Amino acid sequence: MEITREGPYRYRIERRGAMRVPGVVFASADLLPGAEADRSLRQVADVATLPGIVRASFAMPDVHWGYGFAIGGVAATDTAAGGVVSPGGVGFDISCGVRLLAAGLDRDAFAARAGTLMDRLGAAIPRGLGRGAVWHLPGRAELERVLAGGAAYAVERGHGVPRDLARCEDLGVMSGADPGLVGARAEERGLGQLGSLGSGNHFAEVQAVERVYDPATAEAFGLRPGRVCFMIHCGSRGLGHQICTDHVHAMQTAMPRYGIDVPDRQLACVPAESPEGRDYLASMAAAANYGRANRQLLTEAARRAFAAVHGCDLDLVYDVSHNLAKIETHPVDGEPRRLCVHRKGATLALPPGHPVLPPDLRAAGQPVLIPGTMGTASYVLTGVPGNPAFDSACHGAGRRQSRHQAARSVHGRDLRERLQAAGIAVRGASWRGLAEEAPAAYKDIDAVVDAAEGAGLCRKVARLVPLGVVKG
DNA sequence: ATGTCC
């Protein structure tokens, strides 16, 4: 692989063989993965071979190896020119994303009763592998309403306030969902998990605004130094996973009929405008709505805990997915084109003035939410004009060690001790899960965010530090 | 990420 430096935060993987476009990696020299040791850049090059891909196969500064596509990747295909959709470009956790809420509380008031609130949050937030939910759905009919209506349906049923929806991507509901396409196994898994964190890197965290870079934008987002926030990172649980699995299999069967050949079986794809492509997109939208309702239900659980202990409310700052494919219009070679934009471990980052932003965010831009790791900072940024990657940015710190490596080098109990000694309360689900998420297993979030800003993907607004984490 | 295999 031939990699050329194009700027301080931009590298190009030259077109070679079946690649239709180059690869573009946004990273500093320090963050750029080694082409030999790290398989993620090979994946970025493989994605560049997909039918209909335009501009480039992009990698964000937090890129790391994933199923087929790298995590931290963005790929857009021209739907009118046979451009494909691929479940691997979205990920197993469809509509995994981040929600940030701002509390009517400052960090000194939190500190006075930290243990009480953390115990309450720990008891109220279902987490870990398997069952447990804030809202137990009675059956298929109610599940279908969630799959069609997302967070908007949850609010309609009283799980939140209408103002929440103005601060959700797509107003809390992705259009085009077809709940009838969701199979029996996905249904079975989805009924008992609505309002649950899951495991892996999912978490809910009490944070405080430590630093503001842009006071005017921070004010528009409701962020000021010392304000307590609550961040939720989770997705569509077993339901989204099952839908991804079902469609990967269906596409692996269908692909030869479309004459599509890919360098890796995990890049299974079909034309976005084919019957199989449309079915995937409609099922994916249903899973996205489950993920959005999931974060809405966890918000309700958190609000009850904050109200009971501090008598305060939580105002939604924003809710955005970082695992999704969306049909969007972007200029390609000067012409507006209808593209299927895959963002896998890459967040939407809309600039100021974008027409889909609510009026009170129109001047400030979309809040771009980038969580760090346990014990490290998280960032709120805003979108910028001229984003080279279809209004996308990185989604987190990005792994640098596998789960296995991480669990081998640290014990969960020791990690919890260290975090608590540093003033960060921890309510976990399993010792093994805690060890796998050790900060040492991740890249430096400050460096990743600086690279994203330097590459022109987004602009820093505020830095948040953790006070207490409920870990999935 | 995930009842870590159909």
Side-chain angles (χ1 to χ4, degrees), chain A residues 244-398:
Chain A
C244 180
T245 301
D246 293 348
H247 287 268
V248 166
H249 291 154
M251 288 191 194
Q252 279 171 344
T253 305
M255 208 168 21
R257 282 195 279 109
Y258 293 103
I260 297 171
D261 187 32
V262 291
D264 176 352
R265 202 177 148 71
Q266 296 184 346
L267 294 174
C269 59
V270 294
E273 292 191 348
S274 67
E276 294 88 351
R278 282 192 290 267
D279 279 2
Y280 170 69
L281 286 167
S283 305
M284 180 209 72
N289 286 331
Y290 188 94
R292 285 151 182 214
N294 191 24
R295 290 191 285 276
Q296 187 65 38
L297 269 295
L298 289 170
T299 298
E300 184 180 43
R303 279 178 170 152
R304 281 200 291 260
F306 274 81
V309 178
H310 289 286
C312 73
D313 200 4
L314 294 169
D315 294 331
L316 187 48
V317 175
Y318 208 67
D319 181 302
V320 64
S321 301
H322 51 230
N323 279 12
L324 210 56
K326 298 182 91 170
I327 304 298
E328 301 171 1
T329 300
H330 294 272
V332 178
D333 301 327
E335 294 289 320
R337 304 286 270 277
R338 200 164 162 272
L339 305 178
C340 179
V341 184
H342 301 73
R343 295 184 183 87
K344 180 187 191 178
T347 182
L348 187 66
L350 299 173
H354 196 284
V356 310
L357 289 172
D360 65 335
L361 290 178
R362 196 67 57 81
Q366 180 212 307
V368 174
L369 309 177
I370 304 184
T373 319
M374 281 184 304
T376 67
S378 293
Y379 282 84
V380 179
L381 301 92
T382 187
V384 293
N387 181 307
F390 310 104
D391 297 333
S392 312
C394 61
H395 84 309

Side-chain angles (χ1 to χ4, degrees), chain A residues 170-188:
Chain A
D170 307 319
L171 302 175
V173 51
M174 190 167 193
S175 61
D178 186 346
L181 292 174
V182 172
R185 295 185 77 184
E187 171 196 334
E188 185 192 332

Side-chain angles (χ1 to χ4, degrees), chain A residues 72-358:
Chain A
V74 175
T77 61
D78 186 337
T79 58
V84 294
V85 62
S86 173
V90 171
F92 276 87
D93 194 4
I94 295 166
S95 198
C96 180
V98 183
R99 170 174 287 216
L100 182 70
L101 301 125
L105 191 72
D106 66 33
R107 63 184 295 177
D108 294 335
F110 166 83
R113 306 184 66 191
T116 309
L117 179 62
M118 291 309 297
D119 286 343
R120 198 99 181 192
L121 289 167
I125 295 178
R127 60 193 185 277
L129 277 172
R131 298 191 98 71
V134 175
W135 184 10
H136 293 267
L137 299 170
R140 172 102 194 182
E142 191 72 343
L143 175 65
E144 288 206 5
R145 291 182 200 107
V146 171
L147 298 177
Y153 180 65
V155 168
E156 185 186 322
R157 287 294 312 268
H159 305 290
V161 294
R163 187 203 170 272
D164 292 341
L165 301 177
R167 291 305 188 100
C168 290
E169 179 186 4
D170 307 319
L171 302 175
V173 51
M174 190 167 193
S175 61
D178 186 346
L181 292 174
V182 172
R185 295 185 77 184
E187 171 196 334
E188 185 192 332
R189 296 176 75 169
L191 285 174
Q193 296 186 324
L194 191 60
S196 64
L197 276 182
S199 60
N201 64 355
H202 291 163
F203 65 83
E205 193 166 87
V206 181
Q207 307 172 335
V209 180
E210 180 228 28
R211 185 173 168 191
V212 165
Y213 303 89
D214 172 354
T217 306
E219 191 183 332
F221 293 173
L223 303 174
R224 51 175 164 69
R227 187 168 191 185
V228 168
C229 292
F230 192 68
M231 181 178 275
I232 298 167
H233 176 210
C234 65
S236 52
R237 306 293 333 275
L239 179 134
H241 191 279
Q242 190 64 50
I243 287 173
C244 180
T245 301
D246 293 348
H247 287 268
V248 166
H249 291 154
M251 288 191 194
Q252 279 171 344
T253 305
M255 208 168 21
R257 282 195 279 109
Y258 293 103
I260 297 171
D261 187 32
V262 291
D264 176 352
R265 202 177 148 71
Q266 296 184 346
L267 294 174
C269 59
V270 294
E273 292 191 348
S274 67
E276 294 88 351
R278 282 192 290 267
D279 279 2
Y280 170 69
L281 286 167
S283 305
M284 180 209 72
N289 286 331
Y290 188 94
R292 285 151 182 214
N294 191 24
R295 290 191 285 276
Q296 187 65 38
L297 269 295
L298 289 170
T299 298
E300 184 180 43
R303 279 178 170 152
R304 281 200 291 260
F306 274 81
V309 178
H310 289 286
C312 73
D313 200 4
L314 294 169
D315 294 331
L316 187 48
V317 175
Y318 208 67
D319 181 302
V320 64
S321 301
H322 51 230
N323 279 12
L324 210 56
K326 298 182 91 170
I327 304 298
E328 301 171 1
T329 300
H330 294 272
V332 178
D333 301 327
E335 294 289 320
R337 304 286 270 277
R338 200 164 162 272
L339 305 178
C340 179
V341 184
H342 301 73
R343 295 184 183 87
K344 180 187 191 178
T347 182
L348 187 66
L350 299 173
H354 196 284
V356 310
L357 289 172

